[in-house]
Amino acid sequence: MAARRITTILAFLAIAFIVTEALQSVASSARSSTLTRTGTALHAGTSTTPLPFAVTKVQKDGQDDMQDVSEMCVEVFFNEENSSNLLKQMQLAYLRNLQYGDLRMKFFTSDAQSDLFMARQVIPASQAPSNRGAKPLDVTKTKIYNAKYLDNSKEDDFVLGEVLGFVEVTEKRFRLGEQYESTGSFSEGDDQRLRDVRPFLSNLSVREDARKSGVGSALVDACEDAIQQWPRQYSEIVLQVEDQNQLARKFYEKRGYTALFADPACRRFDTNGLILRRVPTTKVAMRKLLGSRRRKQSSSSSNSPFFMDVVDTVRQLVGSK
């Protein structure tokens, strides 16, 4: 009897914790919606006007960054309809905690090489929401995409605002099959387990109002560049995308990724029912062969429609006054 009572109490406490998290999430969603509308007002017509942003690495001590990224990813993947349903919010609270734990694991419990990148909106410091901490931006070291769209109506410093996108690339054992191994990423003498280890790109997510700003492309480029700096040299990068997600497949195909095979044994989270479930889904494995270190970006970045050097941009804006 005592054991049963203890089990019941623990179950009740667990439910109470999840409900509390869900209620806090509802309040947080309401605040986030307000902040999003404020940010949109700063850049009128975000559906057609690119948002200025900067891509930075998520650092080991960046707990706030991990929290912001977790919230953004779950909203993008599971709650773009901005549901306030209590059961749905309970599921989202669980998924946020799961995502946050996974990010921390990359730094504290995993020996695999990995890099995590986020894109944050760049805004003038005077326009940063007072109820949300904005991060200072070092304009001498950081480059801004879409810098010509910055609202610089008065002398101001720039800060990093809300998270617009996220991606990660990690060494992962991902076997392709013998027919694809001739161009694989391994050296003579590697055992089979090591030959199956590849850079695996995952969790690419971009907030809806930033999807015409080049955020996804910039994040993928950051991953491909980072791989070239890893201790072990790789000649490819792989990923998986759901078979039904045609927009995502076209996005990767435009960037040189080729579909290899479909895996019907994959699973994904489904938040549409009363309980959170993992349901079967088919995912397509895609691969891109990497060439030599990509130096061209540094020489041609000033010509890119989405990319400008911050220092040059600030000089232009100041000089135009």
Side-chain angles (χ1 to χ4, degrees):
M1 286 294 291
R4 182 177 299 177
R5 289 179 180 176
I6 293 175
T7 302
T8 302
I9 292 173
L10 290 176
F12 175 79
L13 291 175
I15 294 173
F17 173 77
I18 294 175
V19 170
T20 301
E21 287 284 307
L23 292 174
Q24 291 176 348
S25 177
V26 172
S28 177
S29 296
R31 290 195 299 270
S32 297
S33 297
T34 302
L35 289 172
T36 300
R37 288 194 293 271
T38 302
T40 301
L42 296 178
H43 307 277
T46 53
S47 61
T48 57
T49 303
L51 295 178
F53 67 93
V55 174
T56 60
K57 273 189 180 183
V58 178
Q59 303 296 335
K60 183 176 182 179
D61 57 351
Q63 295 188 14
D64 290 342
D65 288 339
M66 295 182 203
Q67 193 69 44
D68 290 344
V69 164
S70 299
E71 293 179 4
M72 189 279 302
C73 286
V74 171
E75 289 299 310
V76 168
F77 285 128
F78 301 103
N79 194 38
E80 288 208 323
E81 72 277 12
N82 199 24
S83 171
S84 59
N85 179 276
L86 182 59
L87 288 175
K88 179 69 172 285
Q89 289 300 323
M90 291 172 63
Q91 295 173 356
L92 298 180
Y94 170 80
L95 290 171
R96 275 189 287 270
N97 288 331
L98 192 67
Q99 176 70 23
Y100 179 75
D102 181 69
L103 295 179
R104 286 181 59 85
M105 183 181 68
K106 295 289 193 304
F107 292 107
F108 296 104
T109 62
S110 176
D111 294 329
Q113 184 77 39
S114 65
D115 281 305
L116 288 63
F117 296 95
M118 61 181 175
R120 283 188 179 273
Q121 186 174 0
V122 175
I123 56 177
S126 62
Q127 298 178 357
S130 58
N131 61 339
R132 186 183 182 97
K135 299 180 180 296
L137 179 65
D138 187 345
V139 298
T140 65
K141 297 180 179 180
T142 307
K143 294 183 178 181
I144 294 180
Y145 293 77
N146 307 324
K148 63 182 179 181
Y149 296 103
L150 279 169
D151 185 348
N152 195 49
S153 57
K154 55 185 176 181
E155 295 277 350
D156 211 343
D157 293 326
F158 297 111
V159 296
L160 294 173
E162 296 183 1
V163 174
L164 301 179
F166 171 76
V167 71
E168 60 183 276
V169 60
T170 306
E171 285 180 327
K172 179 178 179 179
R173 192 179 180 202
F174 188 80
R175 191 168 188 179
L176 298 178
E178 294 182 1
Q179 64 269 42
Y180 304 113
E181 297 292 356
S182 59
T183 53
S185 302
F186 56 83
S187 303
E188 293 297 329
D190 287 348
D191 62 33
Q192 186 59 52
R193 290 177 61 87
L194 192 57
R195 292 187 180 192
D196 290 339
V197 174
R198 294 174 168 82
F200 187 85
L201 187 147
S202 61
N203 279 337
L204 176 62
S205 49
V206 179
R207 217 171 66 179
E208 186 175 11
D209 60 336
R211 287 179 189 166
K212 293 184 181 292
S213 300
V215 174
S217 296
L219 290 170
V220 172
D221 286 345
C223 289
E224 294 175 3
D225 288 339
I227 293 169
Q228 307 287 354
Q229 308 300 326
W230 286 1
R232 186 184 180 198
Q233 292 299 299
Y234 289 99
S235 63
E236 64 185 359
I237 180 173
V238 297
L239 58 86
Q240 284 184 306
V241 61
E242 289 196 34
D243 184 40
Q244 296 180 346
N245 193 343
Q246 294 297 320
L247 288 178
R249 292 184 61 176
K250 290 180 180 179
F251 170 84
Y252 289 118
E253 288 170 356
K254 288 181 179 179
R255 283 148 189 82
Y257 288 80
T258 303
L260 301 181
F261 58 85
D263 183 359
C266 297
R267 290 186 172 272
R268 63 174 177 83
F269 283 111
D270 181 10
T271 60
N272 294 320
L274 294 177
I275 60 173
L276 185 65
R277 300 180 301 157
R278 291 179 65 90
V279 298
T281 188
T282 298
K283 292 185 178 181
V284 176
M286 305 186 73
R287 176 177 65 180
K288 179 177 181 177
L289 301 180
L290 302 175
S292 58
R293 294 177 183 271
R294 300 169 66 233
R295 300 294 189 185
K296 62 180 181 180
Q297 197 173 30
S298 60
S299 61
S300 62
S301 59
S302 59
N303 298 322
S304 170
F306 294 118
F307 185 82
M308 291 182 66
D309 189 306
V310 163
V311 177
D312 291 341
T313 303
V314 172
R315 288 174 180 168
Q316 293 173 16
L317 292 171
V318 173
S320 63
K321 294 181 179 181

